[in-house]
Amino acid sequence: MSELEKVKTPRDLDALNPAQLKQLCEDIRANLITTVSKTGGHLGPNLGIVETTVAIHRVFDSPSDSIIFDTGHQSYVHKLLTGRTDLSSLRKKDGIAGYPQRSESIHDIVESSHASSSLSWADGISKAYKLTGQKDRHVVAVIGDGALTGGMAWEALNNISDDNDRNLVIVVNDNGRSYAPTIGGLARYLNDVRTAKNYRRLYRLSKKAFDRMGLVGRLLYSAVRGAGKGLLATFAPKGIFPNLDIKYIGPVDGHDLVAMEQALRQAKNYTGPVIVHAITQKGYGFNPAVLDENDQFHAVGKIDPYTGESLEDSSSETWTGVFGDEILSIADKREDIIGITGAMLIPVGLNKFAKKHPDRVFDVGIAEQHAVAAAAGLAFGGLHPVVAIYATFINRAFDQVLMDVALHKAGVTFVLDRAGVTGPDGASHHGMWDLAILQVVPGIRIAAPRDAETLREELNEAVLVKDAPTVLRFSKGSVGSPIKAVRRTQDGVDILSEAPSKDVLLLCVGSMASVGLEVSTLLAAQGIGATVIDPRWVVPVAQSVIDLAAKHRLVVTIEDGIKVGGIGTRVRQDMRAAQVDTALNEVGLPDEFLEHASRAEIMERVGLTAQSIAHDIVAQVVGSRVPHARPVDESKIETRQQQP
């Protein structure tokens, strides 16, 4: 029986001796490598925080003490120590979530995976405990993987430093990384702390001397180092934030369990906020991750657990890859094109651009608001910024899109990767709100490519706009087969298929074009003629869309964003303004937080499959105003499964 199998609750850690604790950490790493190599997930961050998490749970008493992870992807070890020892269902439908989730465990508090919010949560919870007289409860915020580059963290620190009478411990998991090496002044400062010549030399000499004394020496070394006393403290910095008057302990070796425990116990005994600065290595204990200079296996698909090599098909063309190649091609021709991203240079495809034109690509860290406002400034200076981030993260910068870019008529292009349903990362990672949120911005233009060629085409069109924000949004993963248009209207709408009878107009947003074509085939089998169109630019609504709507008996909009305030709503309003009274059905995502599962499983549940959409259209059309339609042949259209 492994040591990990013995741990059912955090308090089971109390009975383990040093040898057992060391074995436990080895068991945890083996479990992570074996499991995540099969399921995919955030491997590197969790390998780097094993000892630190074990130490936190030995010193603090969860759930009485509240433990918050920022970002939440570094919580796998926490899950293993709080009763979820079987991670084989990680990120699968009805399985273990890839982030903390309250429905899973009373030990999980903050579910959102959007970074830099932990200190605000910790500030609020610790204030609540103080105001309600719960003075025996502590709050521990574990912040790392670049989350300290986010502005929210600094806003929270400003407030935390203003009230020193509460039990709040901030563990800075300092691995120098987010997806890739963390950038900015703070990162450079932390790097100076980690690599200070005198500190490193003394650390090596002292540790070697104490190690010769065996276990007693090791304990003495950890006590000296963790307490920040003695010779080592001579070279240790006064703190990460010396001007904020927050007590500081460190830097501590985050992979030294004894040292971490000592530091955390000292922090727990302080009255007031304390920072514990833990130095860790992303991917620690797994050589393929450690040796990967790009992202140290930040997030992986299925991999070989020994070599780290990917076991997934990489031959398919991806949306991100197409964008990355095309933006580089554009940048080669236009010196005014600037790339901006928030700690995601590789994931959003700007790495090739950055490698060839390093002075024209800026990674601003996890700071979406700053990225967008800075883009407005770059546009004012005569450049054309392209801000590339995940669709779910544009939510964080809405005010800047509205007031800094749109109000000032700045020519800024936003490229939103992972739009729509993304799958196993869960509620906070689905890019399902961007269409509804952004289309309320005056003057904005939003494009949704259906395939690789339209992505290239629409990106080139977007960067030509100098007086308004433009948006290009696309899905996660493979692009799929090209979809040729039958013809294009004068104002740029692509007609993908037409039927002699004008029964149904299917307006498909982006990658939903293939679904729309499948729906039209199913409808044709029922004697219902459908015209399938791709507006290409979904906002503003083209006049030809309104004209086509007037010629059909029913309009159905199909989008992978929420229906409430979605593109269907926009089309309906423009039809009404043009006095077109054709009935319109809006097909999209429900206004709910979607669970983690595969994209296909989620689309099936919410009714965004060709069979489901066709079934609903047939049910509406038959017996209404389409006299030539045949009765529904249920053998050709699958009935949607009833969902709770």
Side-chain angles (χ1 to χ4, degrees):
M1 188 176 188
S2 70
E3 294 299 334
L4 179 57
E5 291 175 300
K6 299 176 184 177
V7 178
K8 305 301 180 185
T9 72
R11 296 285 54 82
D12 291 335
L13 297 172
D14 298 343
L16 301 184
N17 61 39
Q20 290 172 315
L21 288 169
K22 182 179 180 181
Q23 184 59 50
L24 171 67
C25 293
E26 293 179 5
D27 291 346
I28 290 173
R29 280 200 172 82
N31 182 292
L32 290 172
I33 294 169
T34 300
T35 302
V36 180
S37 67
K38 296 176 182 176
T39 65
H42 291 91
L43 181 59
N46 288 283
L47 291 174
I49 200 171
V50 174
E51 289 83 4
T52 297
T53 307
V54 171
I56 289 170
H57 274 294
R58 273 177 57 84
V59 174
F60 296 94
D61 185 19
S62 177
S64 177
D65 294 329
S66 299
I67 303 173
I68 304 163
F69 288 88
D70 186 352
T71 62
H73 62 234
Q74 57 182 338
S75 64
Y76 294 5
V77 183
H78 163 78
K79 288 174 183 274
L80 289 171
L81 298 176
T82 53
R84 290 160 283 181
T85 52
D86 182 6
L87 295 183
S88 61
S89 64
L90 183 69
R91 303 168 76 243
K92 296 179 181 178
K93 186 176 184 294
D94 300 324
I96 300 296
Y99 298 90
Q101 188 159 305
R102 289 183 179 180
S103 61
E104 276 184 15
S105 173
I106 58 175
H107 297 279
D108 291 3
I109 296 175
V110 181
E111 297 191 8
S112 173
S113 60
H114 289 193
S116 309
S117 64
S118 63
L119 300 188
S120 296
W121 272 91
D123 180 45
I125 295 172
S126 61
K127 281 178 179 173
Y129 288 165
K130 174 184 174 181
L131 292 171
T132 55
Q134 302 180 72
K135 295 184 178 180
D136 59 334
R137 302 185 71 178
H138 285 74
V139 180
V140 181
V142 184
I143 183 166
D145 253 21
L148 271 175
T149 62
M152 268 190 73
W154 293 86
E155 294 172 29
L157 282 167
N158 181 58
N159 283 271
I160 288 170
S161 65
D162 195 46
D163 181 2
N164 289 323
D165 184 24
R166 50 207 167 120
N167 298 324
L168 171 56
V169 176
I170 300 167
V171 178
V172 176
N173 176 29
D174 179 11
N175 59 18
R177 317 280 297 191
S178 50
Y179 279 82
T182 307
I183 59 88
L186 174 62
R188 288 193 297 273
Y189 177 77
L190 292 178
N191 188 59
D192 288 343
V193 173
R194 286 193 301 270
T195 60
K197 185 176 181 180
N198 289 335
Y199 183 80
R200 285 186 291 115
R201 180 184 294 121
L202 188 61
Y203 167 76
R204 288 195 299 267
L205 292 174
S206 301
K207 189 174 190 305
K208 187 175 182 180
F210 279 113
D211 280 346
R212 291 196 189 103
M213 299 168 62
L215 178 59
V216 173
R218 182 174 173 80
L219 290 173
L220 284 172
Y221 166 77
S222 299
V224 169
R225 189 158 175 255
K229 297 177 180 178
L231 192 58
L232 281 176
T234 304
F235 297 94
K238 293 181 179 179
I240 302 177
F241 314 109
N243 297 326
L244 292 181
D245 194 29
I246 300 177
K247 291 182 177 67
Y248 172 89
I249 299 172
V252 185
D253 182 353
H255 302 301
D256 186 329
L257 186 56
V258 176
M260 277 305 303
E261 276 197 47
Q262 178 69 25
L264 290 169
R265 292 190 191 282
Q266 184 184 5
K268 185 178 181 179
N269 291 332
Y270 274 135
T271 55
V274 186
I275 291 173
V276 176
H277 185 186
I279 307 297
T280 64
Q281 183 180 44
K282 201 166 185 175
Y284 186 82
F286 186 44
N287 278 339
V290 172
L291 297 175
D292 180 9
E293 295 182 357
N294 289 323
D295 67 357
Q296 294 184 321
F297 286 41
H298 176 85
V300 299
K302 295 180 180 180
I303 61 172
D304 185 299
Y306 301 102
T307 66
E309 293 182 4
S310 175
L311 300 179
E312 298 185 339
D313 180 14
S314 59
S315 60
S316 300
E317 193 173 39
T318 66
W319 292 100
T320 305
V322 174
F323 163 69
D325 290 339
E326 191 61 24
I327 192 61
L328 175 57
S329 175
I330 295 171
D332 284 343
K333 301 168 189 171
R334 286 181 50 180
E335 293 185 356
D336 65 322
I337 296 295
I338 302 295
I340 304 177
T341 189
M344 291 186 173
L345 197 68
I346 297 172
V348 298
L350 283 178
N351 50 311
K352 292 182 180 179
F353 182 4
K355 185 175 182 179
K356 190 169 184 181
H357 304 288
D359 57 333
R360 288 164 52 195
V361 177
F362 302 98
D363 182 345
V364 302
I366 303 176
E368 293 84 3
Q369 291 175 296
H370 167 68
V372 175
L378 286 162
F380 178 77
L383 302 171
H384 191 103
V386 177
V387 181
I389 56 178
Y390 285 6
T392 183
F393 297 138
I394 197 65
N395 310 350
R396 314 185 84 185
F398 173 74
D399 185 67
Q400 286 69 35
V401 174
L402 182 66
M403 293 299 176
D404 293 299
V405 176
L407 178 63
H408 294 88
K409 295 181 172 57
V412 177
T413 295
F414 297 96
V415 175
L416 306 184
D417 204 322
R418 273 73 162 175
V421 173
T422 56
D425 279 329
S428 59
H429 262 53
H430 294 306
M432 55 187 281
W433 293 279
D434 59 301
L435 291 173
I437 289 174
L438 293 178
Q439 70 163 304
V440 305
V441 175
I444 201 166
R445 308 178 197 187
I446 304 176
R450 67 179 181 269
D451 58 17
E453 184 53 39
T454 53
L455 189 160
R456 298 185 188 97
E457 184 180 52
E458 290 161 27
L459 178 61
N460 278 272
E461 293 171 5
V463 296
L464 291 176
V465 178
K466 298 180 179 180
D467 60 352
T470 54
V471 178
L472 188 71
R473 53 107 62 186
F474 47 78
S475 303
K476 177 182 179 180
S478 300
V479 177
S481 302
I483 300 174
K484 298 296 182 182
V486 174
R487 62 185 176 89
R488 178 170 291 180
T489 65
Q490 198 169 24
D491 56 0
V493 174
D494 280 352
I495 313 297
L496 305 184
S497 72
E498 292 181 281
S501 57
K502 305 296 182 184
D503 298 329
V504 181
L505 176 66
L506 299 172
L507 185 155
C508 305
V509 175
S511 62
M512 301 307 292
S514 59
V515 175
L517 288 170
E518 190 177 348
V519 170
S520 70
T521 300
L522 294 172
L523 293 179
Q526 302 298 314
I528 299 172
T531 299
V532 182
I533 65 171
D534 168 17
R536 297 176 61 256
W537 289 86
V538 295
V539 174
V541 178
Q543 181 58 45
S544 62
V545 171
I546 306 302
D547 295 340
L548 286 164
K551 297 175 183 178
H552 288 75
R553 296 182 174 93
L554 173 66
V555 176
V556 178
T557 59
I558 307 174
E559 57 189 299
D560 55 354
I562 58 170
K563 290 186 291 185
V564 178
I567 299 304
T569 303
R570 182 69 168 251
V571 174
R572 182 191 297 276
Q573 291 173 344
D574 284 18
M575 286 171 56
R576 186 183 300 122
Q579 298 184 328
V580 174
D581 62 356
T582 306
L584 184 146
N585 286 357
E586 299 155 68
V587 178
L589 299 173
D591 55 334
E592 63 183 58
F593 293 109
L594 302 177
E595 73 287 357
H596 60 278
S598 70
R599 176 181 166 88
E601 288 170 331
I602 294 172
M603 299 293 262
E604 174 71 28
R605 184 184 74 78
V606 301
L608 268 178
T609 63
Q611 290 79 10
S612 178
I613 296 168
H615 181 273
D616 288 348
I617 293 173
V618 171
Q620 180 174 351
V621 168
V622 172
S624 60
R625 291 181 288 173
V626 187
H628 57 276
R630 294 190 291 272
V632 179
D633 182 351
E634 296 289 351
S635 67
K636 293 184 178 180
I637 300 181
E638 297 178 12
T639 303
R640 184 172 32 178
Q641 291 184 351
Q642 294 299 313
Q643 299 291 338

